[in-house]
Each structure stands twice: as C-alpha cells, then as structure tokens.
Amino acid sequence: MDRAIVYAGSIPLDTDILRAGRYTKAAFGNLASMLYGPNVMAASGLGYSASSSDLSLTVEAGSILAPGVMDASSLGGNGGGLAADTTALTCQYISTTSQTVTLPGSGNTYTVYAVCSEQDADPTVLPFFNASNPSQTQAGIQNDGGALPVRRAGVISLVAAANPPSAPTGGCVVALYTIAVPQGANSLSGVTVQPGQVFWPTIPELATQALLKACTEPMTLVTVNGSVSVPAWASRVELRVIGGGGGGAASQSMTTAGAFSGAGGGGGGDAWGIYAVSPTQGNGLAITVGSGGGSEQTGGTSLVSYNGQTLLQAEGGQGGTFYSTTGSAGGVGGNASGGTIWNQSGTSGGDGQCNAYTFSGYGGDGPWGGAGRCGNQGGRLATRYGAGGGGSYSATAEGVSSSGGTGFQGCVLYRFLP
C-alpha cells in the first residue's frame, strides 16, 4: 500500500494528512476486492425485526462493502486540499444505529434498499492562523465563526420501494431484503422477509461449507483426454481411474473342430487415491482415458499425472484369444498401481472353447458391471466403463471371422478437497 512521506524541518501541509487517508482507503478497498472479488456487494450485520403492529421493518446497525469511488468531490479546501478523484474502488459504508423503514402499502412486493454514499460530517468551528498576526488564531476562516466538516463518512440510508432508487453520485444502491406483502395486510406479522444475496457467509462459515460441499458432492466423471485446473481453495484431490476393457475373441469355425467359441475380454484395472495438490504449482492435472479394446485387443491405460509425475494408473484388460486352434482363454484383467485407497486388478474374461468343450465366453465386468456376453456370430459389446467385450461363437461360414465384442472405454473420476 502507498504511504505518505514527510521530512523533519519541512513545512507541514494539509495534503500530507489527506493523502495518508486516501492511501489507507485504497489499501482497504483493494483488500476487500481480493476477498470478495471486484464489484461485489457484501453486507455484515444489518439484521432485521419485522413489526407486528404496522408495515415497518427495523434494520440493525451494520456495514456494507460495495463499489464506489475514491472521492466524488474535492476533499478539504481553503486554498489547499485534494481534488476529486473518481477512481473506482470498493468502499465501506456504515450504519451505526438501527433504522426503521415503513413499506409503502400492501398487495405488492417491496425491497428494502441501502442507499450508500459519502457525506461530509461533524461540522466544527476550527482555529485558523491569522496571517497578519501569526501569534493569534481565528475562529473559522477569516474569523467568521463558520463551522467546517471534519470527517468524510460512508453512510447508509434505507428506502423501501417497489423499484430501486437512483444511485447517489459516487455511491451505489444495495438490495437488502425483499418482502411480499399480502393484499390488505396491516402489519408484517407472519410475512416472510427474504434476505438478498449480499449477506455472505463469514470466512469460518465458508471453510465449513467448502469442506462439507467437497465431501458430499459426487466425483466428476471424465471420459476424454484433457486437463483440469486446481481451484484456488483446494489442497488435495481424490482420484479414481478405470482402464479400458479388452475385446472378446473372434470365432472362425462353424464346428468345434476349429476355432468355434471365443473367450471374453478382461476388465480394466481400478486405482483410487487421494493426493496433495497446489493451485500455484504446475498446470493442473493431466488426464488420459484408456479406450476400449477391439476384437481380441487389449484396452487402453487410464492415468492421471501432476507436475510431470504419474499419480496413479489403471491398465486395460487384455483381449480374449485363441491359444490354439480349439482353445480360447479369457483375457486377464488389467493391473492398477499408484492408488492410496486401493489398487484392484480387473475381472478376467470367461474362457471360451477347450477342444470339443465350449464355455460361455463372457467379458469381465467393470466396476459397475456391463460385461458383453458371448454371442452367435459376433460377441456382444460391453456397456459400462472398463468392462470387457464378449466372445463370439460360430461363424457365418467356415474360416470367416465373426468378431468378438468391443470392450468399453475406461474413465477418470476426480473431486478436489480443501
């Protein structure tokens, strides 16, 4: 923040003190903008009590932070002072005592507005030097006994109206309470008074709410590669990654004398953990989502990296294969690593054919099921994240391949924590 500089032996000026006041006002205004954001209105105190005998509302003492200017008019005077400065600034306006405002009538919705302005106050008869005789002082300018204001105050006055009043020069109007008054009502007994959005929670309340919100909101699902920025309030992130499912084995025979019954693809691995992050370090989280494997293909690996280091990863499930002309084994589930809560391997796909014996070559389930079943002349596709595709049994013609079902893609879930 700026500070006034004065020197020993120099002649003191009125502007030395006035500038110090402006610097302080600017510092607090900038701090308020950092806390609440620019052009945000915030009210503290200003509680209310509704009358049970008439249509009046009493608003208690309090303060408001709202947009204003440094000084809408000149400050000081008598040959000195500071000129007006209309630089935009977040200003504080104060109501030091309770104020009662009466609503105009019934059968309408009214808003209690705080009219925020700056006014020169505390008129005082000040002593001035007598230029012709410096050993004497004068009561007021030129000894006229006139009083001058000695304080510029940010003040709040209340207005109840159906429409907002005009904003004063350099000030603003803030909606505090909205009241729907029933037709014929002669008091506010039983009438709902709705506070405006200017009544922000305190910092301890915000911390509690942020923690509660972070712990109760569902995790965000990511299904494509990309990046996620770390929010300013976060210090940790909860991550879960699922690898892509493997594809089922294809069939190329109409009888068990050949490759008749294909095995299912394996499910993707599953890693879950919580990790420290910082909003001021790196470029956020880099996310890779594993694709589902095609017929007899391994699914892709899902992973999350931060500052160039992999936090956790889940490999895709392997595809179902024929290990011999008449033998087909289910794909092995993908491995998982890096999780701090768990690292679970994916479910293996079901075996298909073993010589003259055939089995149900279903795919391996993902965390939420969805494995593809074996199918005649084509394995069925997986339907949930990380699930394996089903194997195919029988072909349209001897030696013609009937593809196994495709595995379902993997995914990444995240949730930032305080």
Side-chain angles (χ1 to χ4, degrees), residues 165-258:
S166 298
T169 302
C172 66
V173 173
V174 179
L176 294 181
Y177 297 102
T178 299
I179 310 167
V181 184
Q183 183 67 43
N186 53 22
S187 76
L188 296 183
S189 178
V191 176
T192 299
V193 179
Q194 181 63 45
Q197 295 182 351
V198 295
F199 292 96
W200 293 72
T202 63
I203 290 177
E205 289 171 340
L206 284 172
T208 302
Q209 290 178 7
L211 179 59
L212 179 62
K213 181 179 179 181
C215 292
T216 57
E217 278 194 343
M219 299 178 76
T220 299
L221 173 68
V222 180
T223 58
V224 295
N225 296 344
S227 61
V228 177
S229 298
V230 179
W233 54 266
S235 63
R236 298 174 299 155
V237 63
E238 181 180 1
L239 295 167
R240 188 177 181 185
V241 296
I242 312 297
S251 172
Q252 299 185 37
S253 177
M254 301 177 67
T255 69
T256 56

Side-chain angles (χ1 to χ4, degrees), residues 289-301:
V289 177
S291 59
S295 179
E296 303 185 359
Q297 300 297 311
T298 297
T301 297

Side-chain angles (χ1 to χ4, degrees), residues 129-367:
F129 284 108
N130 185 347
S132 61
N133 185 0
S135 64
Q136 295 180 347
T137 59
Q138 301 179 137
I141 298 175
Q142 296 181 352
N143 209 31
D144 61 3
L148 293 171
V150 295
R151 177 169 62 98
R152 178 158 290 182
V155 299
I156 298 171
S157 60
L158 301 181
V159 174
N163 298 300
S166 298
T169 302
C172 66
V173 173
V174 179
L176 294 181
Y177 297 102
T178 299
I179 310 167
V181 184
Q183 183 67 43
N186 53 22
S187 76
L188 296 183
S189 178
V191 176
T192 299
V193 179
Q194 181 63 45
Q197 295 182 351
V198 295
F199 292 96
W200 293 72
T202 63
I203 290 177
E205 289 171 340
L206 284 172
T208 302
Q209 290 178 7
L211 179 59
L212 179 62
K213 181 179 179 181
C215 292
T216 57
E217 278 194 343
M219 299 178 76
T220 299
L221 173 68
V222 180
T223 58
V224 295
N225 296 344
S227 61
V228 177
S229 298
V230 179
W233 54 266
S235 63
R236 298 174 299 155
V237 63
E238 181 180 1
L239 295 167
R240 188 177 181 185
V241 296
I242 312 297
S251 172
Q252 299 185 37
S253 177
M254 301 177 67
T255 69
T256 56
F260 174 78
S261 178
D270 180 356
W272 194 345
I274 296 176
Y275 309 87
V277 293
S278 170
T280 61
Q281 295 181 359
N283 297 317
L285 305 174
I287 294 176
T288 300
V289 177
S291 59
S295 179
E296 303 185 359
Q297 300 297 311
T298 297
T301 297
S302 296
L303 60 89
V304 177
S305 59
Y306 178 63
N307 289 340
Q309 300 294 321
T310 297
L311 298 179
L312 75 174
Q313 69 176 28
E315 297 174 357
Q318 296 180 7
T321 61
F322 273 90
Y323 59 86
S324 68
T325 302
T326 58
S328 184
V332 177
N335 293 322
S337 60
T340 61
I341 296 176
W342 71 43
N343 294 291
Q344 296 190 16
S345 296
T347 305
S348 295
D351 288 342
Q353 182 178 355
C354 181
N355 297 322
Y357 298 98
T358 59
F359 303 94
S360 299
Y362 277 52
D365 273 329

Side-chain angles (χ1 to χ4, degrees), residues 12-16 18-19 22 73-84 128 141 148:
L13 302 175
D14 61 313
T15 52
D16 294 334
L18 295 177
R19 284 189 300 112
R22 276 194 174 176
S73 60
S74 61
L75 189 65
N78 188 34
L82 297 176
F128 282 80
I141 298 175
L148 293 171

